[in-house]
Amino acid sequence: MDLRSDFFKLNFFFHFILCLVISSCGGSAGSSNQPLLDISAGAVMKPLFNSNPIIIDDAASYYSHACNDPTFQFLIPLNMNDDEHIDFISHFWCDSLTPGEYDQTPVPDALVANLNDGYGNYSISNLSVFGEIYPKLGGASRKYAIGDINNDGKQDVAFAMNWEDGRASYDHDSLISNYSRPALILSNGNSYMIVKLGEPDWGHSVQIKNNKVFFAGHKSQVFELDTNGWNDISDSYPQLSFASFLLFDEYIINSVRRDSSQGLELIKDNKIISSIMFEESFKVNFESWNNAGTNYYTELGVYNIRGENYFDGMISEMCKKEDIIVASINASKLISGEIIEGGFYSESDTTPVVMLALYKIENDKLVAFDKTIKDEEIHHNYNFFDCIDVNNDNKRDITASVFSQQWNDYDNNRGVPEIYINADDYYYNLDTSNWPTYSDNEDTQGYLFDIDMSGTLDLVIFPTKVNSSSKVEIYTTNKNLTD
């Protein structure tokens, strides 16, 4: 017997098995959710996501005072009680019980504050946060902005408000049915007070800059907070876009529609100094969702974008990353057939699309920025996106909070956002196919935020509308999203 030969055979077999275990002999390390042996650390590497989510329970006993099946509009992460844990404020509002009909009553809504106990558990604390059990903003919220308006070191939230709940939106006896006053929640120690400002409007956009808050709808309203209270300084600023506007250093960037064209205008010292505008191809007659079945049609422009015709196609949201402006173009396309000039169409005949476009400011001039977004998914509908660094490489990426809609024939993300990683010369669509998804079969949305303050972003998922519940699921991470 050759003992030395048998020893080498046994030693080779041991190293072969070890190689398979750690997947480090020329092969792939496999899925990020598979535990791997880390020889250098002598320990098992953790998966990207922890398998058991943090759960924020249904708030039915609070929003049910508004209605039983509200829209879950926002889940806003805030540190409300000066600890090292993130808390949340949720806003719910109710759809009209008589859609398409004229209504002048406020949209029922509800605010819910969830405080973290420091151990990953959340409890509803409306009384301690708002001083009342059933606080409300007074209508439907469309967008929100966060900033420290009163300079107390705590974040405040301003909301663009309206009563657009499905009711008829046209004039009736010179009254407009979907106007509501702008609102905000302003920090006051460890609590918040609800503030209503200005005049009722069809609020759609809002921004905060230092101690000023900017609201835009059918008109602009700007307010400044000083030691004497709120001052209306709207006359000091130009008209702000209801669709979207961005405060960028000394500039204001407006998404605008002018006659038969639309695009972006760059404003400095209250003067338009540059613009990028696109002409419509032709017009059609269009019945919007809140006028469904009324035969109330309005003219709508059709735009050719990247070689294809789309309804509307207006820039509806912007964010800034370093010196780059990222804009989302919200449009819709005909589900089948071609769009014919002068034709009659309803929103039910269409499906939404969202496309991203990049711009820069050079020498006081707005210019298109040519940077490819590889594998962009335009058929995932969303209202909001962020320009944030998702993987701690000091480069801002793009995360889109896509709606996972059951009726949409395209892939359902089930709450996982679309993530485009900044690779210097281009962005690429991060593969999230192995990420956890919302446990219930609901229309959902989600975003990334460092909920446990660990230094890596976590996945937050919640329903877009309350059907079975308003349960929130938070999957915390153990490492950067691209590690």
Side-chain angles (χ1 to χ4, degrees), residues 114-161:
N114 287 101
L115 296 185
N116 193 310
D117 66 357
Y119 299 97
N121 303 307
Y122 286 87
S123 60
I124 295 175
S125 305
N126 278 0
L127 194 58
S128 65
V129 172
F130 294 112
E132 55 183 310
I133 297 175
Y134 303 114
K136 56 186 179 180
L137 292 176
S141 54
R142 177 59 179 85
K143 295 181 182 180
Y144 75 87
I146 293 179
D148 185 3
I149 302 172
N150 55 4
N151 197 31
D152 65 350
K154 301 193 70 172
Q155 292 180 318
D156 311 300
V157 188
F159 297 88
M161 302 292 296

Side-chain angles (χ1 to χ4, degrees), residues 345-363:
Y345 302 94
S346 295
E347 195 149 345
S348 58
D349 301 325
T350 71
T351 186
V353 297
V354 187
M355 294 163 277
L356 295 171
L358 308 178
Y359 301 92
K360 292 184 72 172
I361 298 174
E362 295 180 349
N363 299 319

Side-chain angles (χ1 to χ4, degrees), residues 31 60 122 142 156-157 184 192 200 271 285 311 319 330 375 387 399 405 414 427 449 462 464:
S31 168
Y122 286 87
R142 177 59 179 85
D156 311 300
V157 188
L184 56 88
Y192 281 83
K271 296 179 181 179
N285 302 287
F311 298 106
C319 67
N330 279 62
D375 299 319
C387 297
T399 66
Q405 297 162 319
R414 293 186 59 188
Y427 296 91
F449 198 90
F462 58 103
T464 60

